[in-house]
Amino acid sequence: MRAAVVTEFGGPEAVRIVDAPVPEPAARQVRIKVAAATLNPVDAGVRSGAFGGAGTQVGLGWDVAGTVDAVAVASAWQVGEEVVALQYGVAKALGTHAEYVVVDTDALAKAPASVDPVHAATLPLNALTAAQALDLLDLRPGQSLLVTGAAGAVGGFAVQLAAHAGVTVTGLAREADEDLVRSLGASAFLTEGIASGFDAVLDAAVLGERALAWVRDGGAYAGVIPQAEPSSVRGVRVAAVEVSPDGSRLAELARLVDDGVLTLRVAETIALEDATKAHALLAEGGVRGRVVLVP
């Protein structure tokens, strides 16, 4: 099969398309024939060496949508089922940017029935990150939440999930994104952190201490980069999400897509063989929605 990897770290030009053996599922694993796989900022970090792995082949890609192609003995999954999954890991030899990928059975969920695989592939990493970050904040209906980077992938899902749960959401983003952020469910919009006193902040824009200052005393802050959250002040509970595969939660999120609660945004679809072009597009910045690779 063909797969996108890096063997030397660098910019978009470091991405290579290589031939690799088709992986075989072990116990409690399935193999997915990839229909689409999303390119995320974490892939740029892996490509540049931010997570280590020098001197080895490192595979790219965390999100996948496709069809179950092979199963281990006694699997609950059947060949031919359309699924989505999160393949976690920054130092794996092969990722989801490939023609086939093996994932653990408890990382899978049935794909949303209302969207195509290209859109479905944008769900796992970013929606699970948003949902698990909101878990850390533990907000109740009626409480106030500021989402920074509210027009981005994680921030957009966070706005929709929190609003659906009855939380009063304010979105922080660029002025040009106000209509988008309000359409996602934000009841108020800011371009700068001029307001404060929020019960919680979900800091998808990674503003750190600036965003922490907008939380009320004794409130909560959730970052999206593990171990990079600011130190607690004024009794604010501080944490950062480290996303983890969760097939059951992913199934709930897929149902919310079918129910019209979650919006899946695709910026561009690019062939796997042109992965270097996709990385260059991501590096330009300003992309609304995700770039999706298709084998």
Side-chain angles (χ1 to χ4, degrees), residues 8 67-68 74 93 98 104-105 132 140 159 182 217 229 236 277 285:
E8 296 181 358
T67 305
V68 175
D104 294 338
T105 55
Q132 292 171 7
R140 298 183 302 278
V159 170
R182 288 188 180 275
D217 294 357
E229 66 271 24
V236 175
K277 173 185 173 183

Side-chain angles (χ1 to χ4, degrees), residues 2-261:
R2 303 288 277 166
V5 303
V6 291
T7 54
E8 296 181 358
F9 299 131
E13 72 284 349
V15 179
R16 297 177 56 207
I17 304 298
V18 300
D19 290 315
V22 175
E24 295 295 333
R28 296 185 294 278
Q29 290 185 324
V30 304
R31 185 172 68 213
I32 300 171
K33 183 177 182 180
V34 178
T38 304
L39 177 66
N40 289 288
V42 68
D43 295 305
V46 171
R47 185 201 71 223
S48 66
F51 302 103
T56 64
Q57 174 180 294
V58 181
L60 300 168
W62 294 47
D63 288 305
V64 61
T67 305
V68 175
D69 173 72
V71 300
V73 177
S75 173
W77 293 96
Q78 303 295 317
V79 171
E81 289 187 282
E82 295 183 358
V83 295
V84 289
L86 172 65
Q87 189 204 35
Y88 178 90
V90 294
K92 54 204 177 189
L94 292 169
T96 64
H97 295 172
E99 293 176 320
Y100 295 89
V101 64
V102 165
V103 301
D104 294 338
T105 55
D106 59 4
L108 273 77
K110 288 187 177 181
S114 58
V115 298
D116 60 29
V118 170
H119 285 80
T122 67
L123 181 69
L125 175 60
N126 294 293
L128 281 171
T129 299
Q132 292 171 7
L134 288 169
D135 289 345
L136 295 175
L137 295 174
D138 192 25
L139 292 169
R140 298 183 302 278
Q143 288 191 291
S144 60
L145 170 68
L146 174 67
V147 177
T148 73
V154 173
F157 283 133
V159 170
Q160 291 186 305
L161 289 168
H164 181 64
V167 174
T168 302
V169 182
T170 297
L172 176 70
R174 297 181 304 183
E175 184 176 354
D177 291 319
E178 180 173 1
D179 288 346
L180 168 64
V181 173
R182 288 188 180 275
S183 75
L184 297 175
S187 57
F189 179 82
L190 297 172
T191 57
E192 297 180 11
I194 55 177
S196 60
F198 293 97
D199 291 316
V201 168
L202 196 159
D203 188 17
V206 196
L207 301 180
E209 292 182 356
R210 286 180 59 204
L212 183 63
W214 304 325
V215 183
R216 65 166 174 80
D217 294 357
Y221 168 101
V224 295
I225 299 180
Q227 302 176 347
E229 66 271 24
S231 299
S232 175
V233 294
R234 299 180 287 104
V236 175
R237 180 166 47 84
V238 171
V241 63
E242 181 168 1
V243 68
S244 59
D246 185 338
S248 296
R249 191 66 174 280
L250 185 55
E252 294 175 7
L253 295 167
R255 286 192 290 270
L256 290 177
V257 172
D258 287 336
D259 291 343
V261 174

